[in-house]
Amino acid sequence: MAAPVIDTLAGERTRKAAPAPRKGGRFSVHFAHYKWLYLLLLPGVVYFAVFRYAPMYGVSIAFKDYVPFLGVNGSPWVGFRNFEDFFANPDFLRLLGNTLILAFLNLGVAFPLTIVLALLLNEVRLSILKRTVQTLVYIPHFLSWTIVASLSFLLFALDIGPLFQFLNNAMGTHIDFLSDPAWFRPLIVLQDIWKNTGWGTIIFLAALSTVDQDQYEAAIIDGAGRFRRVWHITLPAIRSTIIVMLILAIGQMLNTGFEQIYLMTNALNREVADVFDTYVYFVGITQGAYSYSTAVGLFKSLVGIVLIFGTNWLAKRFNQSGLF
Amino acid sequence: MIPRKLSLAAAVVTATALSLTACSGGDAPSADLTSVSIMAPFLEAQPPAADGAVQKKLEELTGKQVKINWAPNASYEDKTNITLAGSDIPQVMVIQGKTPGFVKNAQAGAFWDLTDKLDKYPNLKTTFPDIQKNASVNGKVYGLFRGRAPMRTAVMFRQDWLDKLGLQPPKTVEDLYKVAKAFTEQDPDGDGQNDTYGITIPKWGALGTNSPYDVIEEWYGAGNRWTERDGKLIPSFETDEFLEADRFIKKMVDEKLINPDFATFDSTKWNEPFFNGKGGIIVDVDSRVSVLINLFKQADPSNFQNKVGFVGNLEGPDGKLHAHPTDGYSGFLAIPKASVKSDAELDKVLSFLNTMNDKDVAVLLNNGIEGVNFTVENGKAATIKPETPEGKAVTTDIKSYAQLGMNVAGNEFYPVKQPSDYEQQVFDKRTDVMAQDLKSAVYNPAAPYVSATYVAKGAQLDNIVADARIKYLAGQIDEQGLKDAIKLWDTSGGDKVKDEINKLWQENK
């Protein structure tokens, strides 16, 4: 997808990927030729080296029994013991289950909703209305999770919250949404939709604006209705964007949002609320088990990498352009 | 042109790197100890200024240059670990408690063992050896504890409601039930509506954190975290009294004498139902009495008396008083070996800490500067009104400097004079009640002992029981479910914790 846009760089990549053994000192010639491009690249490389790659050295404590006083280097190696402890822990399956269920709920409900909302916005003909709605749906993104959680606590407060009263009256029940384990996941997904759906539409709207208008006109002449146009023109046109966004979303899938879940957890719903992120905090920070929680975090990252490569591979198999 | 810019950038990068190295070089402790570096948390919005009046006075009184590295309270433990792993280590560190991180560092040899070293310093020899033992790690003293009043448990209630219904203040847990029931069912606010309940409990589930649940369980005789049964220590939640106490709390929950959202109610709003006339009873530390009185005072300065009543600990169903104390300390001041290298240096640092416990320094750290922010009236510190800017600065600063106070031989500073006679009476009554209850305090016999298994996974283990307790009270599980959770605690590692604690207890008896 990106290839035709930045064709010089793409050409560059092909040349590097398939070096023709023509003459010696190729690299210096090559370097001299593209020195300005490399210079442009430098800040990015330095940034990643210093702030992304160098700290990864600390990941080594996942294989050590880290004692802060002894430092990263001084702490004794323990091999895979931290990982073994984690996999043998009865919490492991529960955490994995909770994390995956929340992740798939978010992916299955929140992600399609973003596309639906983008399509709906795209169909709005009145420009001022469209822009106003767009701005309004972006706003929740800028509120912190603390505020979202506080709002939820006000709205769903036992016996006095307006949504508590409305929903329970409508259903004829008396459910405490904030502590009932069965309602924890719907609540989390609902919060996520409320906060992030609007913001997520930005990229889809950008993709939608590039769709060739002539096709719509041709379709109208052929007698296609709105849904037909969306189905046969709009969606295929933004398919590659959807796939790239899907791959990115799957890569982020296990990051279930520490703050949000931490704030909504209580003793009554902890069983379904504990996920990798809160567990790492709980065990690592409050209990000082730095090595163990690093191991858990590393495991989560590995699963994330597998997911992102897997989806990319699948996307390519089905003849879609992948992310890389 | 561009290469020149690039070399400039390179120069800047190099210079920054050099200055960073210079920063982390740290200062070596000088032989005659003219200065002492201390790391301490600050709880205010900003740390005290390095040239404030309190700082100057502190240096004057101790005769040393005191370099205090204030770190925000919220991230203090992280900062402690980072500091210990670095090279710029202070000579004295305030440690906030026996967290697993601290225990690991201490057992790896990060701090001086002060067990046999304190007695020759008159101000460091404690008059509370039990508290010093509580603050130790398996009998090894790694720091000077910061003494706190050990008895703080009180039951606060709406005095006006009690008077209206013609009831007496509770003495026993059974009385507590009766008062809570009357507050719920007999319309204590007299508005003709059924809109009140007895006890307010906030979201506060963790075990052994002086929560209302912990306190009521102790009143029932379950012990304080650990208790001795048949010559062995067992966790309080494995006693019959624990189940009995929770049955009692559950009865109150079922009869709606406790706020129904106790599992989620925000603890920062704890005073609101009390003040607004929704929930009439709070079980917490006695200092909340003053906070509550102040709320009523702010709302109506002419009529705030007799709104808040309180009693101390309540008698259990066995007719005995098992009063609930805290461990009597709030962290300690430890001395890292990396910055204080020899016994001679240690002696100098300890001498300095001895000076820090002189009466005049204790007064400075806790009351402030006499004549600037307070005056002494009948042995009490009275705030100077109206406050001068200097006085205000001192009052703000000592909120942080008090973090350095140890008071291992009791409080040498002045008690604060209360703003009105009524408040002074309440304050004095509080002091009396707490002193009386202290005689019946049941301490945690396992407080000094740190089990390796507990360090590794104690918080996870305790959560099993803590969550089950709340679920039982909320009716999500029955009593068998609670018992199963307690068994699960045992099989998930609790049995090992028990063995280790008992071994340490036997060895140190």
Side-chain angles (χ1 to χ4, degrees), chain A residues 188-243:
Chain A
I188 291 288
V189 175
L190 197 74
Q191 285 179 337
D192 216 39
I193 291 172
W194 184 78
K195 184 164 151 55
N196 287 330
T197 306
W199 184 251
T201 58
I202 288 184
I203 291 191
F204 292 113
L205 284 172
L208 286 169
S209 69
T210 63
V211 180
D212 188 357
Q213 295 301 313
D214 295 349
Q215 290 190 25
Y216 288 116
E217 283 166 24
I220 291 170
I221 292 167
D222 289 347
R226 280 207 159 186
F227 283 103
R228 291 237 153 232
R229 274 178 273 153
V230 167
W231 188 252
H232 289 290
I233 301 172
T234 318
L235 279 178
I238 63 166
R239 188 167 54 194
S240 55
T241 310
I242 293 176
I243 291 193

Side-chain angles (χ1 to χ4, degrees), chain B residues 14 48 159:
Chain B
T14 321
Q159 184 70 47

Side-chain angles (χ1 to χ4, degrees), chain A residues 154-177:
Chain A
L154 281 176
L155 291 172
F156 290 101
L158 189 63
D159 293 331
I160 50 170
L163 278 180
F164 174 92
Q165 291 174 341
F166 175 76
L167 289 173
N168 276 317
N169 284 341
M171 300 188 292
T173 50
H174 191 267
I175 297 165
D176 183 5
F177 299 99

Side-chain angles (χ1 to χ4, degrees), chain A residues 45-98:
Chain A
V45 170
V46 170
Y47 170 82
F48 271 92
V50 173
F51 293 107
R52 299 284 158 158
Y53 281 89
M56 277 192 208
Y57 169 66
V59 168
S60 63
I61 68 169
F63 307 95
K64 292 184 162 204
D65 180 14
Y66 177 66
V67 179
F69 168 63
L70 300 175
V72 175
N73 288 326
S75 300
W77 291 98
V78 295
F80 283 92
R81 200 186 71 194
N82 292 315
F83 291 89
E84 284 161 20
D85 284 354
F86 180 51
F87 297 141
N89 192 316
D91 288 338
F92 172 69
L93 285 176
R94 188 169 60 92
L95 287 168
L96 187 70
N98 285 345

Side-chain angles (χ1 to χ4, degrees), chain A residues 36 39 66-70 89 91 153 158-159 178-179 181 265-268 270-271 279 282-283 285 287-290, chain B residues 2 6 78 81 84-85 100-101 104-105 108-110 203 260-261 263-264 455-460 463 467 470-471 474 476:
Chain A
W36 303 126
L39 195 64
Y66 177 66
V67 179
F69 168 63
L70 300 175
N89 192 316
D91 288 338
F153 273 88
L158 189 63
D159 293 331
L178 294 173
S179 66
T265 304
N266 55 56
L268 297 178
R270 196 189 310 278
E271 216 151 284
Y279 187 76
F282 183 62
V283 176
I285 306 297
Q287 237 171 281
Y290 300 104
Chain B
I2 286 180
L6 193 66
D78 293 350
N81 286 330
L84 279 172
K104 276 187 196 167
N105 284 326
K203 177 182 177 180
D261 54 353
T264 51
V455 167
K457 51 181 177 182
Q460 286 150 277
N463 248 3
D467 284 354
I470 302 288
K471 282 184 190 167
Q476 270 190 13

